[in-house]
């Protein structure tokens, strides 16, 4: 084979590989935003009935955790839950959430980088997203809230959509409180059983929070900053946090969430698909 022929063959092979990559990614991903409209339509038609909506928040987390901690952690966990469930996709993360008054600033808004929206705006966003998913033929939307401050707002938004009698038996929105309970109350209990105290475990950016973030994505943690004692905006002491410690917590969150979703009553998905086809 001549050199020219080899070059042509190599170029053709590389071109074929590049053409195959997007199709393979679309076939394997659980992230809705990485699919085309037609790819998503095909999945729904083949029985993908659940969309997971991860809700994070952009807020200060001390000097050692990035502002997007909740966003990335909820995205990672939602993907793992979707993969375990099957027939599920993950919606784009909601990164704008209530974080306190803006002017004068309160709560996390007192620190640089936090972004806050009013609760009615947040709830309206969740409602509109859920109604959008219903329009496209999904049977259930599961809200996964990674932050404690908006758990009540999530439930109110879900309740308003669920009161719509036209789809009561074929569609629902679930504010999955088990997800947050597993990440906070349950994980703290696991750490206490290992000998860590509440003052170290903390409520925000402490041992528990940092360990979970580290296990989800190491780039969220500024390890060098952990050498110093925790400063303002931190509840707890993160200095003994490790990714290995957090991995146990992530596994528990995934297992608890998957079990809770699977225990939900069955929906009339055939009716939902019929109603959706009638609107095309």
């Amino acid at each position: 084979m001549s050199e020219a022929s080899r070059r042509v063959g190599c170029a053709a092979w590389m071109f074929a590989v590049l053409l195959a990559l997007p199709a393979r990614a679309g076939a394997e991903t659980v992230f809705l935003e990485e699919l085309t409209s037609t790819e998503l339509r095909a999945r729904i038609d083949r029985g993908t009935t659940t969309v997971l909506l991860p809700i994070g928040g952009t807020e200060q987390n001390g000097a050692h955790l990035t502002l997007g901690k909740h966003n990335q952690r909820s995205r990672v966990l939602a993907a793992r839950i979707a993969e375990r469930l099957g027939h599920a996709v993950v919606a784009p993360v909601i990164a704008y959430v209530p974080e306190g008054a803006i002017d004068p600033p309160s709560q996390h808004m007192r620190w640089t980088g936090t972004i806050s929206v009013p609760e009615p705006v947040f709830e309206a966003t969740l409602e509109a997203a859920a109604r959008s998913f219903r329009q496209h033929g999904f049977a259930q939307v599961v809200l996964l809230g990674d932050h404690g401050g908006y758990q009540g707002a999530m439930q109110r938004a879900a309740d308003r959509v669920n009161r719509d009698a036209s789809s009561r038996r074929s569609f629902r929105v679930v504010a999955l409180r088990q997800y947050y309970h597993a990440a906070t109350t349950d994980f703290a209990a696991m750490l206490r059983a290992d000998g860590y105290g509440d003052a170290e475990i903390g409520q925000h950016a402490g041992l528990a929070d940092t360990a979970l973030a580290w296990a989800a994505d190491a780039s969220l943690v500024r390890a060098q900053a952990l050498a110093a004692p925790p400063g303002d905006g931190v509840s707890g002491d993160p200095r003994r946090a490790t990714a290995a410690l957090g991995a146990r917590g992530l596994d528990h969150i995934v297992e608890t969430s998957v079990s809770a979703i699977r225990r939900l009553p069955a929906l009339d998905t055939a009716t939902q698909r019929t109603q959706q086809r009638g609107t095309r």
Side-chain angles (χ1 to χ4, degrees):
M1 180 183 292
S2 68
E3 181 64 23
S5 296
R6 280 197 295 271
R7 288 179 180 177
V8 170
C10 182
W13 177 82
M14 291 179 66
F15 183 66
V17 169
L18 290 173
L19 283 177
L21 284 175
R24 184 175 61 190
E28 294 177 356
T29 186
V30 295
F31 295 112
L32 180 149
E33 59 195 327
E34 294 178 359
L35 295 167
T36 68
S37 176
T38 54
E39 288 169 344
L40 181 60
R41 177 77 265 152
R43 286 202 188 185
I44 295 170
D45 290 344
R46 290 196 303 267
T48 293
T49 57
T50 297
V51 57
L52 306 178
L53 179 52
I55 307 170
T58 306
E59 64 179 19
Q60 72 81 25
N61 291 287
H64 65 286
L65 284 177
T66 64
L67 293 158
K69 169 201 72 181
H70 283 302
N71 301 327
Q72 180 62 5
R73 189 166 69 196
S74 63
R75 189 175 193 268
V76 168
L77 282 164
R80 289 183 57 181
I81 294 166
E83 288 163 356
R84 284 280 306 279
L85 287 172
H87 299 296
V89 293
V90 178
V93 176
I94 302 291
Y96 298 89
V97 306
E99 295 279 6
I102 296 173
D103 187 13
S106 67
Q107 300 179 40
H108 291 304
M109 276 301 301
R110 292 175 293 151
W111 286 272
T112 303
T114 301
I115 302 171
S116 187
V117 299
E119 276 199 347
V121 174
F122 173 68
E123 292 178 26
T125 300
L126 298 184
E127 288 181 57
R131 295 181 194 280
S132 297
F133 296 132
R134 180 178 64 184
Q135 175 65 24
H136 297 314
F138 287 101
Q140 74 178 354
V141 178
V142 181
L143 308 179
L144 303 175
D146 207 62
H147 185 296
Y150 48 66
Q151 296 293 312
M154 283 169 44
Q155 188 63 60
R156 288 192 296 272
D159 289 344
R160 279 194 289 272
V161 178
N162 290 336
R163 282 197 291 267
D164 185 348
S166 67
S167 62
R168 191 168 292 164
R169 290 184 301 173
S170 59
F171 178 83
R172 66 174 163 232
V173 181
V174 179
L176 198 72
R177 288 182 175 268
Q178 292 93 330
Y179 170 98
Y180 185 69
H181 190 276
T184 54
T185 304
D186 289 357
F187 187 46
M190 293 166 65
L191 292 173
R192 287 189 206 99
D194 287 343
Y196 298 99
D198 287 343
E200 187 175 13
I201 293 168
Q203 299 283 325
H204 178 74
L207 175 75
D209 209 3
T210 303
L212 290 175
W214 212 329
D217 184 344
S219 71
L220 300 175
V221 183
R222 302 293 186 260
Q224 68 277 11
L226 292 174
D232 284 349
V234 175
S235 166
D237 189 337
R239 287 177 288 182
R240 289 203 291 167
T242 64
L245 201 61
R248 293 174 52 218
L250 293 190
D251 289 345
H252 178 70
I253 296 166
V254 172
E255 186 62 39
T256 299
S257 299
V258 169
S259 297
I261 294 168
R262 285 178 173 166
R263 288 196 303 269
L264 292 169
L267 285 166
D268 183 3
T269 55
T271 297
Q272 168 67 357
R273 286 195 295 271
T274 300
Q275 291 173 341
Q276 195 278 330
R277 281 195 295 268
T279 64
R280 284 194 208 173

